[in-house]
Each structure stands twice: as structure tokens, then as C-alpha cells.
Amino acid sequence: MHPMRTVFLFVTLGAAIAVAAQGQFPPLPDKAPGPHVGLDAPVHAGSASFTFGAPVVGTSYFYWYDIESGAHIIDGDGSDALTTHPSDMTDLSYRHASWHRTQMEDMIDAGIDFLMPVFWGVPGQYEGWSFAGLGPLVEAHRALETEGKRPPFIGMFFDTSILSHNAYGSSGEPYHADLATDFGRRWFYTAIRDFFSLIPPEMWARVDGKPIIFLYAGSFAKAQTPEEFQDVRAWFRQDFGCNPFIVKMRDWQGEADAQYQWGGAIELMLDEHVAGLGPGYDHSAVAGRDPRVVDREFGWRYANHWLRLLRMSVESRPWMVHVETWNEWHEGTDVAASREYGRLYIMLTKVFSDMWRAKQLLKPVGPFVEAGSVAWEQGVANGISIRLSDGDGVWRENEAGGRKAVVSQENPETPNSRYLYFDVDDGFSLTLNGGAALVEVTYWDTGCEAFALEYDSTDPESGPVSGSFRDGGSKTLGQTGVWQTAVFEIDECRFGNRSNGGDFRLAVRGGAQELAVCKVTVLRK
């Protein structure tokens, strides 16, 4: 270890102890649980690495299951904790290298390039499953390599729910990590340090030499700061001799290397560099949740996510795919071998991942591929559909001036805001491919003060959430009580379903916040 690094550790440890004492929490452990720390840059010379921009496929890997104790398999009341079930549960345990090996062999068959253990490791609590399961994973990985096989490289999926849900306090109370403080940022980083200390660097999944870290939601932090990732990178360089490749969810502050969004199992999630996709969703086995099922459609939902990606131009599509998930059997988002679906999703993933890495381009299909316009009128979809009431897009049907319409309504998500969401046919959207369009909205000229168009754009800098809510202009109502038509000119249209699952929305403002719409048309320019 370099003398400068030793000084750094003593100084930072002292600061951490002082801050922790003020908050009645234990000091952070100065020593990592694994041996792979205190590394220098030469250690990484010649390490295998993916290249930024080259197609690659990864998946989040849940390893908290244990058949011996029943953890994450049987609920406390003795009921089944799984919605879907692994094909063979004989050795299902994070403690067993044999189980990890089976999963990685199946990942090889599926064409997965890297896996990301979903890590829930609280600093200093090294007896937990998150730490105990990584040794057997590494053992299985090494055995496969010794046999000449090529198991997926290992990145980190940081389950950031531990930033608020933990038992870090001296009496088991939770510590709510405040990333606006030095101690909070060190606490956050310590979990990252501890994970990589347990994974040999030759097994790390890297992009341009940087080990991959996917961060779950930033909302679990008590507070954030735009500088938080700067500290993480500096401390990572001190401990490991290289920078990390940070992939953040959209709600994180700070500059990351890439961005993604959780929820790909429900609908295709597109960001500039990362696409998230999965087979469907069903958390029926999870106690205490309102029922929600997004049907797998016998594999069609998963296939259609891939097909939409492969129909995007190679230049405009993301280059990294996050398969969500390999084996989250509680929520039924798994593509691993299962009793319910056999190896169907392994085979599908292999077919599509091979096409993905080969940069294959499929032609858009459907009746609107070459259409000059698409429309939704009086409840009838003709290339545009209105999104079903969900989240903040709540509406009711009504009639005004002899025409059928939908009217924006109050919603539980944003009580002071109301929206109407619309989805454009994929064939039309894909051939539009970043081009310009006219959006015509026929509305009842009373009920609110104004409405604005917000749409999904190809320019990540053009609006909130990487351009998925770009400002397309607004219209002030004249309160005439007759049908009027507003025309919006927009360009760089992605229409990739990134506006909360839609392609664009009408944001209702002022007055009674009731906007009645009977017709919406999109025309190519």
C-alpha cells in the first residue's frame, strides 16, 4: 500500500468516526471484508473489458434465496414466497457454489455477457447473505473458467434501499444515509468498496476498463448532492486504482457514465445508452401489496421488447441491454429456468442477444409504417391510443358539443397536476426516427386555463429525464365553450414510450384543471 493511501485512510476514518459519534451510529469499518483492495493501476492492465458503445447484454441476479433456512422461499406464515419457481430447488442457496454454477451455465446458454448480484450489504454487517453469497459465486465462476467455459463477468447492482432500510445503529435502529454529508457519502461508498473487495478484479465486468455499478433508486437517500459521485470515484481510485462505470437511475443527482430506469419488466425502458426490458410482472406472492399483473403473453411481451429495440436504427438505439431480471421469482420478472416456463426465456434471450451483438436491424412492421399520419378520435385508435388510467394519467369519458371525449381527472400521484397520455404506433414511431411532426389536439375550449404538450425526444439535453418530457409548447384557452384545434410543431421525436409509458402527454394547467379532448393527430413533417 502506498504511504499516501495510508495517510488518506487514517484521515478519512477519523472524520467518519467523529461524524458517526454525533449521530449515535457506529464508525465505518476501515478494513474491507475481502482481499481485493489496495490495488494499483498496473493490476488492471490487459483486463478484459467491454467497449463503450459496443452492444452488450447484462442482467440483475438475485441471490438471497436459501432452501435450508427457507429465506426468500417460504414466508413467515409458512406460505409460498415465490410467484414463479426455479425448475430445481434442490440446492437453491446463496451458500452453494453448485447453485451459482447452474445459474451461470444457463446465462452462458442465454448469451448474457455480465451478471450483477443484487447487493444489499450494510457496512460492517459482514455475516449477512449479501456478503456470504459472493464467495460461492466466485468459486463457481473460477471453476467454470478452469474448465474453459466463459461465464458472465460480474458487475454490481447496488440495492440502494439499504440507504434507509438497514439496522446500522448500535441498537439496531436504521441509519438514513444523508449523501449531503461526508459521513453519508462514505457510508454509501463503503458498501461499494466492500462488494468489490470480494470479487477478483479479473472477474469484474468493465466498460473501457471501468467496473460496472448499477445504482437502484436515489430516493432512498435522505438527501443528495450533485457532487456525490465525484467522491465515490476519488475513493474508488484510492482503493482500486481505477474509476468505476456508474449507471444511475434517473432520480439520482450527479454526473454518471450512463443512465437507466428500473421497470423494464413491465415496459421497455429506453435511455441514451441503456435499454431495460423483461418478460412481465406478477407479485401475487408478495404479502402486503396491491395486486398487479402484467401478463407475459406466452413470451410475446418479452419478444416484442427485443423486437422494438432491433427495429430501431443502429445509430439511435442504446448499446447496453439490462435484462430485468434473471431470477426475481417474488415479482415474477425472471427469465431463468422455471417450473412455469421451462427454458423458454433462456432460448429467447439467446436468439435476441445474438442479434443484438451482431447489430442486426429489423424492418418496422404494421399498418402505419408508411402512413403520413396517425390519429385518435372519439375513443377510437387509428395509430394513436390513449393510455389507460394509471398513476398520474387519470381521465373519464364524457360528451361535449355532440362529440365523445375524455376529460382529465384528479389523480393520487400528483394532486396538483393532471395529464392525458398518448401512445403512438411503434411502426409509425420507428420510421419517424428522430424526425419532425405536427401534433393537432382538438379540445373543448373551457375547463382549464391552459395545457402544454410534453413529448419524448431523441435529444437527452432537451428536457427533463433525458428528454422524455421535452416542452413542445402550450395553448391558452379562450373559454369560448366550443371545440377548437391547437397545432404544435415538434422535432427530434423519439416516441419511445418514455413519457411514463406513453410517447407524449398533455399537461393540464389552472382553473378546474379539466381538459376535454376528442381528437389527437400526429402528422409527419
Side-chain angles (χ1 to χ4, degrees), residues 185-223:
R185 290 193 296 277
R186 293 182 194 282
W187 197 97
F188 174 64
Y189 167 72
T190 298
I192 295 173
R193 179 205 68 181
D194 289 349
F195 175 89
F196 281 98
S197 77
L198 290 162
I199 308 296
E202 64 271 18
M203 297 181 185
W204 292 355
R206 305 168 185 257
V207 174
D208 291 347
K210 304 173 183 178
I212 295 172
I213 302 171
F214 267 60
L215 298 178
Y216 193 45
S219 58
F220 289 105
K222 183 177 181 180

Side-chain angles (χ1 to χ4, degrees), residues 28 37 49 64 71 98 104 115 127 156 166 183 188 196 342 358 392 489 517:
L28 290 166
V37 70
S49 178
W64 50 17
S98 56
M104 285 190 284
L115 67 91
E127 70 286 350
M156 178 188 188
N166 59 67
F183 179 72
F188 174 64
F196 281 98
D392 63 0
E489 296 187 25
V517 175

Side-chain angles (χ1 to χ4, degrees), residues 74-138:
I74 304 296
D75 283 330
D77 61 1
S79 61
D80 188 352
L82 307 180
T83 300
T84 52
H85 304 79
S87 298
D88 183 0
M89 299 177 67
T90 305
D91 65 344
L92 173 59
S93 177
Y94 62 84
R95 306 173 191 273
H96 298 163
S98 56
W99 177 69
H100 291 292
R101 177 191 174 102
T102 298
Q103 300 307 305
M104 285 190 284
E105 286 177 327
D106 285 350
M107 289 181 197
I108 294 171
D109 291 345
I112 298 294
D113 297 307
F114 68 96
L115 67 91
M116 296 179 289
V118 179
F119 186 69
W120 205 87
V122 177
Q125 298 179 6
Y126 298 140
E127 70 286 350
W129 63 264
S130 273
F131 297 101
L134 293 180
L137 172 66
V138 168

Side-chain angles (χ1 to χ4, degrees), residues 322-335:
H322 171 220
V323 175
E324 182 193 313
T325 64
W326 180 255
N327 62 335
E328 219 295 18
W329 291 306
H330 296 298
E331 296 180 346
T333 60
D334 48 288
V335 299

